[in-house]
Amino acid sequence: MQLFPCPFCGLREETEFHFAAEAGKARPEPAGQVSDDGWAKYLYFQDSPKGRSREIWVHLACGEFFVMTRDTVTHEVTGSEALSGRSR
Ligand SMILES: [Zn+2]
């Protein structure tokens, strides 16, 4: 089993985490002028890069969302940081 680093709790088993979204994805604005296709693309489509990826994950045990940098091919985790402006 792989261990993931929560920036608040330290290393924990991967079963305690859940993928939330790709990091850096901008919400389309203004919301009232976004087409249905625009919303669908924002909500349901991911880039899914091969290799290094920055993603938002949630640690289910503490409920904190954070950015994890990992390689989608090797599964190596190279970074874990709180979302900006969040700390405990
Ligand atoms: Zn945690």
Side-chain angles (χ1 to χ4, degrees), residues 14-19 57-66:
E14 65 181 289
T15 56
E16 294 185 12
F17 295 84
H18 190 78
F19 174 83
W57 285 71
V58 60
H59 183 202
L60 302 173
C62 71
E64 293 286 349
F65 287 80
F66 63 97

Side-chain angles (χ1 to χ4, degrees), residues 7-83:
F8 304 98
C9 306
L11 289 175
R12 300 298 168 104
E13 294 183 358
E14 65 181 289
T15 56
E16 294 185 12
F17 295 84
H18 190 78
F19 174 83
E22 63 183 293
K25 194 172 186 178
R27 178 185 166 103
E29 297 289 347
Q33 297 177 15
V34 178
S35 69
D36 290 346
D37 286 346
W39 280 116
K41 183 177 180 184
Y42 171 70
L43 294 170
Y44 302 113
F45 291 90
Q46 308 279 335
D47 282 344
S48 299
K50 186 175 183 179
R52 184 180 182 273
S53 178
R54 286 176 47 83
E55 302 166 330
I56 298 173
W57 285 71
V58 60
H59 183 202
L60 302 173
C62 71
E64 293 286 349
F65 287 80
F66 63 97
V67 177
M68 181 160 51
T69 304
R70 68 181 188 98
D71 190 301
T72 59
V73 176
T74 65
H75 303 290
E76 179 187 14
V77 176
T78 57
S80 173
E81 59 193 84
L83 293 175

